[in-house]
Amino acid sequence: MCIVDDRGLTICLDRPATRIIALYGAFNEILADLGLEHTLVARTQADELPKSITALPVIGTHMRPNPELIIGLQPDLVLQRASRAQALDPVRTLETNGISVAVFEMANFAQLCSAMQRIGVLTNTTAQAQTKVDSINTALDAL
């Protein structure tokens, strides 16, 4: 299963991701919406939603995650938002150490929906992701 992230890099996994670390809070909520809350193995310091993740280990902040802690948790996928160039510095460290990292921009609804669909591919939840995207688009059309 492969996707192209918003850096233009192809991210391929041999099997659906089951150990995920999100370095941006919205990804936790996307995963929960897809029924994948149980795949989260850590959180950043500020992340408190969904409530169930507050018991997870903290791996630093969104902008300054601790790569050593992340590597030690052995995720099969890390998600990061392409918000600032410095947020990608730890991404390079993770990738150098064999961790798959998908980076998405989510500045508007189209980008959010695209990220959700690609996360669906990487987690083998494409149908659930498409249902959520369709729901978002229906709500936007209604406005």
Side-chain angles (χ1 to χ4, degrees):
M1 54 197 59
C2 297
I3 58 107
V4 176
D5 76 359
D6 289 337
R7 297 173 294 172
L9 297 179
T10 300
I11 310 301
C12 292
L13 301 177
D14 293 333
R15 61 189 194 308
T18 59
R19 296 185 56 79
I20 302 171
I21 296 176
L23 299 180
Y24 182 69
F27 293 123
N28 295 319
E29 295 181 62
I30 289 170
L31 290 165
D33 280 348
L34 296 176
L36 297 169
E37 216 169 307
H38 65 281
T39 65
L40 290 163
V41 295
R43 66 182 182 94
T44 64
Q45 186 175 354
D47 295 339
E48 296 180 349
L49 294 175
K51 287 290 184 194
S52 63
I53 70 168
T54 59
L56 295 176
V58 174
I59 47 78
T61 66
H62 163 64
M63 295 301 292
R64 290 194 171 94
N66 183 319
E68 291 81 16
L69 287 176
I70 294 170
I71 293 164
L73 290 167
Q74 300 178 325
D76 49 20
L77 179 63
V78 171
L79 302 172
Q80 176 63 298
R81 181 173 177 217
S83 56
R84 295 185 199 143
Q86 70 190 56
L88 298 180
D89 289 340
V91 166
R92 288 184 273 283
T93 301
L94 295 173
E95 290 172 328
T96 299
N97 284 278
I99 305 291
S100 295
V101 182
V103 177
F104 301 108
E105 185 56 70
M106 297 195 310
N108 58 49
F109 285 111
Q111 291 173 334
L112 167 68
C113 290
S114 176
M116 188 175 288
Q117 289 169 316
R118 290 177 284 169
I119 291 168
V121 170
L122 294 173
T123 58
N124 196 33
T125 57
T126 54
Q128 295 94 316
Q130 190 59 53
T131 298
K132 295 294 181 181
V133 166
D134 291 345
S135 176
I136 289 168
N137 287 328
T138 297
L140 288 173
D141 289 345
L143 291 175

